Amino acid sequence: MKRILLLAGAALLTAACGDSKKEYDATGTFEATETTVFAEQSGTLLTFSVNEGDELAMGCEVGLIDTTQTWLKIQQIDATKEVYQSQKPDMERQIAATRQQLAKAQLDEQRYRELVADGAAPSKMLDDASSQVKVLQRQLDAQIATLTTSTRTLDKQTAAADMQVSQLQDMLRKCHIVTPTKGTVLEKYVERGEFVTVGKPLFKMADTQDMFMRAYVTSAQLHDIKLGQKVTVLADYGDGQRKTYEGTVAWISSKSEFTPKTILTDDERADLVYAVKIAVKNDGYIKIGMYGEVKVH
């Protein structure tokens, strides 16, 4: 009888263990938004104050590529602009003499018209005066057209030089290596004094304060998850050590995929799962690639 009771107790214990549920709904790994900073200009890296593990703020200047040649080109174009400005004609001064001649010719024409009307002068004198007025008027119009064309040409050349200066100033700005976002330096690819070319990677950084956990859920679990939902995230340090964080569902995949081999879901028999990203505020203990668990409230 005693042996029967022992066997029954063992069976109940086995059944109880079989009915135990997992403390999480899905597992995944922590990741951060990574950014690789590239060189935007070619030249010698004069300064480069970046080290792996550094915490950098957005807009922080961390290096400088040699700007000598770019600066010299700007000085050269500025000098060329001054030449263009000095060649620009002073229209009013250059046509002043012709205007004065035209005004005198018009006055003579009016006087001869009055004399001819009074019969005191022959009509040929009036014709000659009128002809002189027309000639001077055409000369004035031609001068104005020539000077206007010359001014416009010089203005366009000056504008083109201004555009070249703007391009060079943009190149000059890109010689200053500035962080595009805040984050921690993960990898450093170059050292001070090296020659870098456009597009060469300089360093990689990631925002390790606002991190994400990528987990996978089944279609059955998907029914209980929505964007903005608060969930419990547990960072797994191994040997049963966990740290609890509050997370927010930030993204849910719109298409299914086959279960990744390294990911366990609540229903391990499911072939298709949906990826979700859960935003977590890092207190410094969560590391990229660390495993974690998700519990839906």
Side-chain angles (χ1 to χ4, degrees), residues 169-185:
Q169 287 176 341
D170 181 64
M171 293 171 62
L172 203 63
R173 178 186 61 80
K174 290 178 179 178
C175 288
H176 296 263
I177 303 168
V178 179
T179 53
T181 183
K182 66 178 177 108
T184 304
V185 178

Side-chain angles (χ1 to χ4, degrees), residues 114-139:
E114 293 175 356
L115 291 174
V116 170
D118 293 338
S123 59
K124 184 178 182 304
M125 296 182 67
L126 176 59
D127 294 339
D128 292 341
S130 299
S131 177
Q132 183 66 16
V133 168
K134 291 179 182 179
V135 169
L136 290 172
Q137 183 64 56
R138 291 193 184 99
Q139 288 179 356

Side-chain angles (χ1 to χ4, degrees), residues 81-136:
K81 285 173 55 181
E82 291 182 4
V83 173
Y84 292 152
Q85 293 297 326
S86 65
Q87 292 177 346
K88 188 178 293 187
D90 186 344
M91 185 179 296
E92 290 303 320
R93 291 183 63 181
Q94 293 194 31
I95 65 175
T98 307
R99 281 190 186 277
Q100 187 174 4
Q101 292 175 3
L102 177 62
K104 182 178 181 304
Q106 289 172 338
L107 187 61
D108 290 343
E109 180 188 28
Q110 181 62 32
R111 185 166 57 250
Y112 284 127
R113 180 174 287 108
E114 293 175 356
L115 291 174
V116 170
D118 293 338
S123 59
K124 184 178 182 304
M125 296 182 67
L126 176 59
D127 294 339
D128 292 341
S130 299
S131 177
Q132 183 66 16
V133 168
K134 291 179 182 179
V135 169
L136 290 172

